[in-house]
Amino acid sequence: QSALTQPASVSGSPGQSITISCTGTSSDIGTYNLVSWYQQHPGKAPKLMIYEVTQRPSGVSNRFSGSKSGNTASLTISGLQAEDEADYYCCSYAGSSTVIFGGGTKLTVL
Amino acid sequence: EVQLVQSGAAVKKPGATVKISCKVSGYTLTDYFTHWVRQAPGKGLEWMGLLDHQDGETIYAEKFHGRVTITADTSADIVYMEMASLRSEDTAVYFCATLSTSWTSDYWGQGTLVTVSS
């Protein structure tokens, strides 16, 4: 099963908003509202930012939001800050007790 | 406080087997599945498989089926991931993580670097 498709990189200036897309298929994102997003800084473990498409864990800034349309999920970060610079990965349940990740997107804050 | 603490880095020769441990604390193993995710140098996250601690069922990504085994010592709250027939492409950081009923990983281990080199 191929990875979910994410743009390799996105960038934005402090204060701006950016959106990272994550495209799957009708077998994963299109069928299940079980998309999560992770932030990963270099040398660190991933950190959960969004789960069940739109839900934010306690402690995660409300500048992070998620959405889904058809086979594509999106992560939006508003009011970009320098500390948001990291790699971001989407993840979806893919049926039969399996999980699939996206290829990752490097966010650069200019 | 939930913690997942993994064993240290390992260097293996091609064809060898590696077994990584993941000691959990702050919760009961049956509260979550445990899954393993790896990340090759400069690459993305790759899902490997999971263990359902309630019934002992394991599910593996097709790519790793037959080469990876996930087990647990529930008395010691340790989860293991064993990979056989290592090749250079298996050089990666391996993470254990909890997997909730919403298929979300709230908690991660610190990662274990496995280097496969002759």
Side-chain angles (χ1 to χ4, degrees):
Chain A
Q1 192 172 18
S2 299
L4 305 173
T5 301
Q6 298 181 232
S9 63
V10 298
S11 62
S13 300
Q16 288 187 331
S17 294
I18 62 95
T19 296
I20 299 172
S21 62
C22 171
T23 301
T25 70
S26 57
S27 298
D28 38 67
I29 293 177
T31 295
Y32 305 101
N33 290 321
L34 295 170
V35 178
S36 49
W37 289 89
Y38 298 89
Q39 176 192 67
Q40 187 181 36
H41 286 107
K44 300 295 187 182
K47 174 188 175 184
L48 178 66
M49 305 303 284
I50 295 286
Y51 67 100
E52 291 179 357
V53 179
T54 62
Q55 302 303 301
R56 226 175 12 255
S58 172
V60 171
S61 170
N62 59 9
R63 297 185 298 105
F64 291 83
S65 62
S67 63
K68 189 186 93 167
S69 177
N71 296 338
T72 298
S74 299
L75 173 71
T76 298
I77 309 173
S78 58
L80 267 181
Q81 299 179 0
E83 69 228 41
D84 299 332
E85 184 162 297
D87 294 326
Y88 290 84
Y89 294 91
C90 60
C91 179
S92 177
Y93 180 66
S96 302
S97 298
T98 66
V99 165
I100 186 169
F101 282 95
T105 299
K106 181 177 180 59
L107 169 60
T108 301
V109 179
L110 302 171
Chain B
E1 180 193 8
V2 172
Q3 284 193 312
L4 289 80
V5 179
Q6 299 181 222
S7 48
V11 179
K12 296 291 183 180
K13 294 192 182 303
T17 297
V18 69
K19 190 171 185 177
I20 303 169
S21 66
C22 174
K23 166 72 174 173
V24 312
S25 59
Y27 68 99
T28 301
L29 269 179
T30 52
D31 287 344
Y32 303 101
F33 296 166
T34 301
H35 70 151
W36 289 84
V37 177
R38 78 175 184 181
Q39 186 170 36
K43 302 296 185 182
L45 302 174
E46 183 174 30
W47 188 73
M48 301 178 68
L50 66 83
L51 172 60
D52 178 350
H53 298 286
Q54 296 217 346
D55 60 14
E57 182 182 16
T58 50
I59 304 290
Y60 301 105
E62 194 173 330
K63 175 177 180 176
F64 298 104
H65 213 280
R67 205 160 66 93
V68 168
T69 306
I70 301 173
T71 57
D73 178 350
T74 53
S75 65
D77 288 328
I78 301 175
V79 185
Y80 298 96
M81 189 285 295
E82 185 174 50
M83 178 180 281
S85 304
L86 289 168
R87 32 204 187 236
S88 59
E89 312 89 86
D90 296 318
T91 293
V93 174
Y94 291 77
F95 294 99
C96 61
T98 58
L99 194 59
S100 69
T101 53
S102 62
W103 297 88
T104 294
S105 295
D106 298 81
Y107 306 102
W108 294 71
Q110 82 276 21
T112 297
L113 175 61
V114 174
T115 303
V116 182
S117 173
S118 55

